[in-house]
Amino acid sequence: MDLNTPIKQLTRVGKITAGRLAKLGLRTVEDLIFYFPFRYEDFRNIVKINDLQSESVVTIRGKIELIANRRSFRTRKNVTEAIVADDSGQIKVIWFNQPFLTKTLKQGDEIFLAGKVSGDDFAAQMISPIYEPAFARLRQGELIHTARIVPIYPLTAGVTEKQLRFLVKQTLPAVRQMKDFLPDELVARNLVAADNFLKLSEALEQIHFPTDEILLAAAKKRLGFDELFLIQLRIQRARQELDAAFAPAIKFLQKPTKEFVAGLPFKLTDAQRQASWEILQDLEKSRPMNRLLQGDVGSGKTVTAAIAILNVILNGYKVVVMTPTEILAQQHFKTFQKLFVKNNFRIAILTRGSKFVGDEKMTPKKMTDLVNVGEFDLLIGTHALIQEKIKVPDLGFVIIDEQHRFGVKQRKALARAKQQNVVPHFLSMTATPIPRTLMLTVYGDLDLSIINQMPAGRKPIITKVVDENNRAKAYEFVRKELQNGRQSFVICPLIDPSDTLGYKSVKQESEFLAKEIFPELKIGLMHGKLKSAEKEMIMARFNNKELDILVSTSVVEVGVDIPNATIMMIEGADRFGLAQLHQFRGRVGRAQYQSYCFLFSSNNDPAAIKRLKYLETCVDGFSLAEKDLESRGSGEIYGSRQSGLPEFKMAKITDFELVALAQKEAKWVLENKKITPELLAKIERMEFVGHCE
Ligand code: ADP
Ligand code: MG
């Protein structure tokens, strides 16, 4: 048997079983080996029957004194009853609907039984325990179902835990012969230097059939290391390649930059100055910039980017800004038109619904043609740019706002290349605070600029979790604010009403608010399924204060800038991650007015409420993201929209030490040219795409 041996050749796998296993993606011995348990049951505690305590999880060893099937009168189901005894006492054991058991288990057999004890301390019993013949220990050298830490696998219909354990057990000889794909030197070094590092074969054996919890932890560590290491290797290698590419060197033009900054209606913060300076320094090099501009919501990233855009355009190159939503694209279009009003730049927008160069509306065909010959200076768009196969000549700079993955390949695809190996400069902007560990792992390929300072005069947003008893009071408060000329957002999780989810929808809620609560106010409705012209019109009306309240789904989550809005009400707040709620909250408090965020949740679970209450005191996006990461994993921070983040089966992204080790070792492999064809194949097969690729 080797890794490629088909599962069908294992003992007790017929056609039907093979089909069911294939549904789990299990076709070969290798698939089985890399099918990891998602939890374990600790049945190591072998207890004398006389000492059994109700509710404890144990293994007993005893002899079957009696075993028989009977039919339950009430449920008409088969019940197998047995009496099992050891030298201390007897216990009754019951299984339901397994009549064949009396064929496997006979009076007089010695067995192990593992499971939870029920009944009371006087008449303990076990219901549906896992059983394993005691001679298994002699024959197979080891028990796999009882009297140990037992693996529990994710399963599909028709496959049982016992079956899977039995199959995985058969693969162990192949596991033991497996060669480590990591360089020997690396493994040897870490076996000595790192705590609890295991060889691959040992880690794989221990992940399935752990000897004890220490070795189990070590196995998880080694397999987690592998995941992090491979990602690091891939990112660092891509970065090496990118470093060998070229981008146009952009000269810093001091005079026009000074004039631009002087023309702004406000003074730049020191953090904005610092970040612009870092960006401009990168742009001056002929090596492509690869930078992340991180700054909490409202910290003023747009104008910081505008300074860079100004310089690139004045150097004769084109700039593309990409956004995740149409709303944001339209907003940027207007903002940049205003910012560059004195510069006479040709500013264009290309989304599915809006196609303009300046104020001139274009047909789709005309738009693509103009863009493809470079009849513009600054182009703002959504993913439509990629879908419509836009090719921009002299593309010098690509900016991605509030999106998390955009690789070199995509950047190259946008540019009409004149020479080989030319890649535009790249800036990714995000308000999502990225915890340090994730930064090192997934964003290890980016240089970082941080705007850690808010424009002067902003007041902290007052955040309250409002329970249903206080809802009316909250509405009265909101009414006063709106009467004073301010505006409010209301976020609901759903577009349409749903019977099953129990969350509010924008359609119902906007009607309810208009009829029952705020009949005197003007209420608008926004969600992702509206046509882009409608979205634009609604945003424009809200912006012009023709609407007092905007009821919206999470489409206004990122970037939207309405300085006059001071109230953010969020329905079904428990549905959202903390970092995402922080983003919603960032839609208000963008001017000098005191702003408020009210969180409503019909989920009365104390843990859910406690999680939300954390927002009342915490204004730091970083710690909110860390909290999300601990409780929900990395997917949560980015919402469901952003994909492309790696999924870790084993690695804990919060394990800073392991992340750092993986980073160090990947660097060592590249610097010392230890990369093997096997390692290469592994990283090329990965689905995850880094910024440098
Ligand atoms: P974000 O970083 O969330 O993208 P924006 O770039 O949208 O933030 O800026 C938020 C608001 O703050 C905008 O209305 C912008 O004009 C304003 N702004 C930006 N920088 C400053 C500053 N230095 N002083 C005052 N207001 C600023
Ligand atoms: Mg923004």
Side-chain angles (χ1 to χ4, degrees):
M1 176 180 35
D2 63 22
L3 294 181
N4 298 320
T5 306
I7 265 187
K8 271 179 255 165
Q9 291 177 22
L10 297 180
T11 309
R12 283 202 227 149
V13 183
K15 243 204 180 123
I16 295 177
T17 307
R20 287 173 182 157
L21 291 168
K23 279 207 191 111
L24 293 171
L26 305 176
R27 292 182 178 83
T28 63
V29 164
E30 182 170 20
D31 295 339
L32 264 180
I33 292 172
F34 286 92
Y35 196 68
F36 300 147
F38 72 106
R39 64 183 185 90
Y40 299 83
E41 206 71 84
D42 188 352
F43 290 140
R44 281 177 301 177
N45 188 15
I46 301 184
V47 178
K48 290 279 182 205
I49 290 175
N50 230 1
D51 299 334
L52 288 180
Q53 287 185 349
S54 174
E55 298 300 304
S56 55
V57 175
V58 298
T59 296
I60 61 169
R61 178 183 181 144
K63 190 180 266 185
I64 300 175
E65 307 242 292
L66 204 77
I67 184 160
N69 287 327
R70 68 173 173 85
R71 202 157 259 288
S72 155
F73 287 118
R74 220 160 24 87
T75 62
R76 325 203 92 244
K77 283 183 178 157
N78 182 81
V79 182
T80 307
E81 287 181 337
I83 302 290
V84 173
D86 64 11
D87 56 13
S88 76
Q90 282 187 336
I91 184 173
K92 184 171 173 185
V93 184
I94 299 172
W95 288 276
F96 298 102
N97 276 328
Q98 302 187 47
F100 55 84
L101 272 181
T102 50
K103 295 214 169 67
T104 332
L105 301 177
K106 302 274 192 214
Q107 198 174 329
D109 285 353
E110 280 274 328
I111 56 168
F112 285 97
L113 293 174
K116 202 169 179 185
V117 179
S118 54
D120 53 40
D121 292 347
F122 297 103
Q125 56 179 18
M126 288 178 97
I127 296 178
S128 302
I130 302 171
Y131 61 88
E132 191 164 25
F135 61 74
R137 174 168 263 167
L138 297 173
R139 206 175 55 188
Q140 299 174 339
E142 205 181 351
L143 293 162
I144 57 173
H145 306 301
T146 59
R148 61 167 308 133
I149 301 177
V150 169
I152 311 287
Y153 298 92
L155 291 181
T156 184
V159 183
T160 66
E161 294 290 347
K162 276 189 118 167
Q163 220 174 350
L164 211 66
R165 271 177 231 136
F166 180 76
L167 294 176
V168 173
K169 174 84 182 168
Q170 290 180 61
T171 68
L172 291 183
V175 170
R176 288 178 191 134
Q177 279 171 22
M178 241 169 111
K179 219 182 99 34
D180 210 314
F181 65 89
L182 294 177
D184 294 341
E185 234 179 302
L186 191 164
V187 176
R189 175 172 50 235
N190 283 296
L191 284 175
V192 178
D195 288 337
N196 293 330
F197 199 86
L198 295 181
K199 285 195 267 186
L200 180 63
S201 56
E202 232 179 307
L204 289 170
E205 179 159 0
Q206 288 294 331
I207 204 73
H208 292 291
F209 296 110
T211 309
D212 56 35
E213 55 275 79
I214 294 173
L215 283 168
L216 175 58
K220 286 183 178 166
K221 178 171 177 174
R222 165 62 210 260
L223 298 170
F225 172 86
D226 287 358
E227 290 178 312
L228 295 167
F229 168 82
L230 289 171
I231 284 193
Q232 279 298 327
L233 193 63
R234 173 152 170 164
I235 286 176
Q236 290 187 24
R237 190 163 157 273
R239 173 93 209 202
Q240 271 188 343
E241 277 170 17
L242 187 64
D243 284 350
F246 294 94
I250 303 299
K251 244 204 252 110
F252 169 52
L253 302 165
Q254 197 173 357
K255 193 161 164 278
T257 305
K258 275 208 165 131
E259 282 166 9
F260 177 81
V261 172
L264 292 172
F266 43 73
K267 214 170 142 278
L268 290 179
T269 62
D270 289 344
Q272 282 172 315
R273 278 174 198 281
Q274 171 71 22
S276 318
W277 184 77
E278 285 165 6
I279 295 166
L280 291 168
Q281 287 233 313
D282 267 9
L283 290 174
E284 283 196 292
K285 297 178 188 135
S286 59
R287 165 185 168 248
M289 170 166 78
N290 216 34
R291 188 169 280 278
L292 181 67
L293 176 60
Q294 190 177 21
D296 215 340
V297 279
S299 61
K301 294 182 289 294
T302 317
V303 66
T304 308
I307 293 170
I309 295 173
L310 175 85
N311 278 277
V312 175
I313 296 177
L314 293 178
N315 272 259
Y317 291 95
K318 319 252 169 261
V319 180
V320 168
V321 176
M322 264 182 59
T323 66
T325 65
E326 295 222 21
I327 297 176
L328 199 49
Q330 280 155 7
Q331 181 187 297
H332 274 330
F333 182 55
K334 298 208 175 83
T335 304
F336 286 125
Q337 277 185 325
K338 257 189 244 153
L339 282 172
F340 293 128
V341 67
K342 291 187 199 134
N343 299 86
N344 276 325
F345 292 159
R346 292 161 302 174
I347 303 180
I349 180 169
L350 197 170
T351 67
R352 218 150 39 108
S354 328
K355 295 173 173 68
F356 286 89
V357 177
D359 293 325
E360 199 183 334
K361 193 169 165 58
M362 300 286 162
T363 62
K365 167 96 179 56
K366 183 117 188 271
M367 187 73 200
T368 329
D369 290 349
L370 282 181
V371 168
N372 281 337
V373 295
E375 282 295 314
F376 71 94
D377 300 299
L378 169 61
L379 172 64
I380 294 130
T382 53
H383 247 88
L385 293 177
I386 303 278
Q387 280 140 17
E388 298 188 14
K389 305 213 160 47
I390 294 297
K391 291 272 180 205
V392 178
D394 298 322
L395 179 59
F397 188 21
V398 175
I399 300 177
I400 305 293
D401 195 17
E402 305 290 1
Q403 257 177 320
H404 294 281
R405 299 250 58 95
F406 195 76
V408 167
K409 284 204 189 92
Q410 285 167 295
R411 255 183 277 169
K412 274 188 173 165
L414 264 180
R416 179 179 301 279
K418 278 199 199 125
Q419 292 144 289
Q420 284 276 306
N421 216 14
V422 173
V423 177
H425 292 291
F426 176 66
L427 182 71
S428 174
M429 304 200 287
T430 184
T432 308
I434 299 161
R436 206 155 110 75
T437 47
L438 197 60
M439 192 72 220
L440 281 176
T441 319
V442 187
Y443 295 85
D445 50 350
L446 293 178
D447 298 313
L448 182 62
S449 291
I450 297 181
I451 305 184
N452 56 1
Q453 184 182 21
M454 284 293 175
R458 298 270 171 84
K459 297 190 179 71
I461 298 159
I462 296 173
T463 303
K464 284 269 176 269
V465 179
V466 183
D467 68 34
E468 282 308 313
N469 300 329
N470 288 322
R471 183 181 279 275
K473 251 204 229 152
Y475 283 152
E476 278 324 298
F477 181 87
V478 171
R479 193 188 315 279
K480 283 216 191 82
E481 273 287 300
L482 302 190
Q483 279 165 354
N484 284 334
R486 303 284 82 76
Q487 289 164 287
S488 169
F489 290 98
V490 176
I491 304 290
C492 300
L494 306 176
I495 298 178
D496 292 296
S498 151
D499 301 334
T500 49
L501 291 170
Y503 286 106
K504 289 192 171 172
S505 68
V506 284
K507 287 187 182 162
Q508 250 177 348
E509 190 65 9
S510 58
E511 234 169 74
F512 168 75
L513 291 176
K515 277 207 192 110
E516 309 287 334
I517 309 291
F518 302 114
E520 75 280 17
L521 298 175
K522 284 184 277 334
I523 298 180
L525 171 65
M526 168 74 89
H527 57 77
K529 283 195 190 152
L530 293 177
K531 295 227 171 65
S532 59
E534 287 175 288
K535 279 187 215 161
E536 187 181 10
M537 191 191 69
I538 291 163
M539 271 335 274
R541 290 182 63 204
F542 195 49
N543 213 350
N544 299 336
K545 303 190 196 174
E546 290 165 40
L547 296 172
D548 302 295
I549 299 178
L550 186 66
V551 182
S552 172
T553 57
S554 60
V555 290
V556 298
E557 175 187 343
V558 292
V560 170
D561 188 30
I562 309 279
N564 189 52
T566 57
I567 296 196
M568 170 58 70
M569 293 190 266
I570 304 171
E571 299 287 346
D574 55 304
R575 262 274 285 240
F576 302 104
L578 294 177
Q580 203 183 359
L581 291 167
H582 182 62
Q583 288 277 349
F584 290 139
R585 175 165 66 179
R587 296 308 111 223
V588 297
R590 298 172 77 86
Q592 72 276 25
Y593 312 112
Q594 176 62 55
S595 293
Y596 305 86
C597 175
F598 298 131
L599 303 164
F600 300 93
S601 161
S602 51
N603 182 348
N604 289 323
D605 173 19
I609 300 293
K610 193 172 161 219
R611 191 176 72 93
L612 292 179
K613 286 241 177 213
Y614 193 64
L615 278 161
E616 289 186 348
T617 49
C618 182
V619 295
D620 174 26
F622 276 94
S623 43
L624 292 168
E626 292 274 8
K627 252 205 145 52
D628 273 343
L629 204 55
E630 278 165 29
S631 62
R632 299 175 165 205
S634 60
E636 197 57 41
I637 301 184
Y638 305 99
S640 55
R641 195 162 14 84
Q642 270 90 17
S643 57
L645 277 176
E647 292 242 355
F648 295 107
K649 276 205 273 186
M650 283 292 155
K652 265 227 182 67
I653 195 75
T654 42
D655 186 345
F656 180 74
E657 235 173 277
L658 198 61
V659 169
L661 181 67
Q663 194 185 31
K664 191 183 95 192
E665 293 296 7
K667 198 164 168 222
W668 176 84
V669 164
L670 287 174
E671 278 174 1
N672 295 283
K673 306 218 163 24
K674 299 283 183 189
I675 198 156
T676 58
E678 194 186 356
L679 272 177
L680 265 183
K682 265 193 193 302
I683 60 178
E684 264 151 26
R685 251 188 288 145
M686 278 164 44
E687 272 166 29
F688 162 75
V689 176
H691 280 103
C692 283
E693 300 164 45

